Every structure is written in C-alpha cells, then in structure tokens.
Amino acid sequence: MTTLHIVDDDEAIRDALGWLFQSRNVPVVGWPSAEAFLESWRPDTAGCLLLDIRMEGMSGLELFDRLLAKGCRMPVIFLTGHGDVPIAVGALKKGARDFVEKPFNDNELVDRVIDALAVDAEQREREAGQAGLAARLSTLTQRERQVMELVVAGRLNKVIADELGISMRTVEVHRSHVFEKMRVKTAVELTRLLSGAS
C-alpha cells in the first residue's frame, strides 16, 4: 500500500488523523504546511493527499493548483468546513478525487482514502507497464518492427516474406527476435501486450 500524505497546519488534527489511519494499517506521513509538502514533492511521490482547504500561509487549494501545474496526478481528498463546500466542488471540477466535510465519519474517510490509494497504485502500475513496453519496443530493429506489425495483423510467415521481399527463414529469425525481445511466446500474447489487454 502506498502512503497517505496528510497536510494540515493543526498539529492535533494531523496527529489524530495519523493515529486513525495507522490503526487501519495505512502508512501515513504528516506535513505541517502546504509549503513543506510542496518543497518535498517529487513527480514519483506516490499515494494520496489528504489536504485541509484552509491553512496558514499557502492554502490547500493553492497547493492543489501548484501541484496540478507541476503535473501531479496523485489523488487529492480535501477536508473542508461547512462554508467551504463551494470551494471544494470547484476543486473537484479541477480534478480532485473527493472532499470530506467536517465533522466526518472516521470509517467513511478511511474507506475513501483506501480507495484513492488503490487508484494511485493501479495508475502507477499501468504507467510502469507502459514504460516497460516502450523500453522493449525501443530494442527492436526497423525490420523486426515491420515483421512484428505484420505478425500482429495476422499475416503468415510466407505472406510477410512476400510483402517485405525477404526469405521465409529471415522472417522466422526476425519473428523469433521479436518474441524474445518482447518477452512473449505466441502471436496472441504479442497482440494482447500491444493492445494493452491482459
């Protein structure tokens, strides 16, 4: 499970929330200000951000806007007081995952955060898979790529040889290299890998 980042300038609330989430085995890091979190944030920071809208200094909304500008896709859940609901709705329209109004139900809040952490983990896993696929594709020669495209299109080796003007044995060698480099055993596996199917 990835980490919940709690950003709240009220130490008592940060501590209470930290205890709540730790009691449900959710890893937690508390941040005393939006500035402190922003200073340490990196594009590979994983998890979910539980963010108080109103804080001294930079507000939660300002932090959210700055993170969006930096390309942050981490799920953000806002904690909001009754008067802040319109602001939170505006944040949802900008891409925030959720907002929870104070006072909140502990179990409901934890469930929402666990869902957001799962979404973040799935997204990062998908991105890592795409990066791995791109890396494997980059190892193919131009000819291997041509053979791969025709294999995925369902062409037989003889047809591929005729279309590319090469021998069938050469097609077999390129096909073997493609399968090895792409870490698949069959044309069906290759097609699934390239289409994103599992």
Side-chain angles (χ1 to χ4, degrees):
M1 182 177 290
T2 55
T3 302
L4 169 64
H5 299 271
I6 300 171
V7 181
D8 198 310
D9 60 349
D10 186 327
E11 185 177 3
I13 291 177
R14 236 182 15 255
D15 289 346
L17 287 169
W19 179 85
L20 170 67
F21 285 99
Q22 287 171 346
S23 73
R24 296 274 299 266
N25 297 317
V26 175
V28 176
V29 175
W31 302 92
S33 68
E35 293 87 351
F37 180 79
L38 186 61
E39 187 176 314
S40 72
W41 180 83
R42 302 288 175 264
D44 63 346
T45 302
C48 171
L49 187 57
L50 186 59
L51 187 54
D52 191 11
I53 282 188
R54 295 195 185 272
M55 292 185 281
E56 294 289 323
M58 184 188 303
S59 74
L61 206 53
E62 288 176 75
L63 173 60
F64 180 61
D65 287 341
R66 288 196 187 182
L67 289 170
L68 285 178
K70 290 178 174 261
C72 177
R73 292 184 315 277
M74 177 185 284
V76 174
I77 299 175
F78 279 101
L79 288 176
T80 178
H82 176 69
D84 294 329
V85 171
I87 295 171
V89 170
L92 287 174
K93 290 179 181 177
K94 290 182 181 179
R97 173 144 182 96
D98 207 346
F99 74 91
V100 178
E101 196 172 352
K102 299 175 191 174
F104 49 81
N105 175 296
D106 289 356
N107 289 328
E108 185 179 310
L109 177 61
V110 172
D111 290 344
R112 288 182 185 189
V113 166
I114 289 173
D115 287 346
L117 288 169
V119 165
D120 183 65
E122 288 169 12
Q123 177 179 322
R124 288 178 189 283
E125 187 176 311
R126 193 169 41 253
E127 288 170 358
Q130 290 168 347
L133 176 59
R136 284 186 255 167
L137 285 169
S138 72
T139 67
L140 298 177
T141 65
Q142 181 178 355
R143 182 62 83 182
E144 288 168 347
R145 197 176 274 269
Q146 291 171 327
V147 169
M148 178 187 70
E149 289 169 2
L150 293 169
V151 166
V152 169
R155 304 271 190 349
L156 299 174
N157 286 353
K158 182 173 179 8
V159 175
I160 295 171
D162 290 345
E163 283 189 33
L164 297 179
I166 57 178
S167 74
M168 219 165 88
R169 177 65 187 136
T170 302
V171 170
E172 290 168 357
V173 169
H174 286 309
R175 184 180 173 126
S176 171
H177 289 163
V178 168
F179 284 14
E180 182 181 321
K181 290 178 178 182
M182 297 305 291
R183 300 183 197 146
V184 297
K185 293 184 168 96
T186 67
V188 171
E189 283 181 47
L190 180 62
T191 303
R192 282 186 181 153
L193 176 67
L194 295 174
S195 69
S198 54

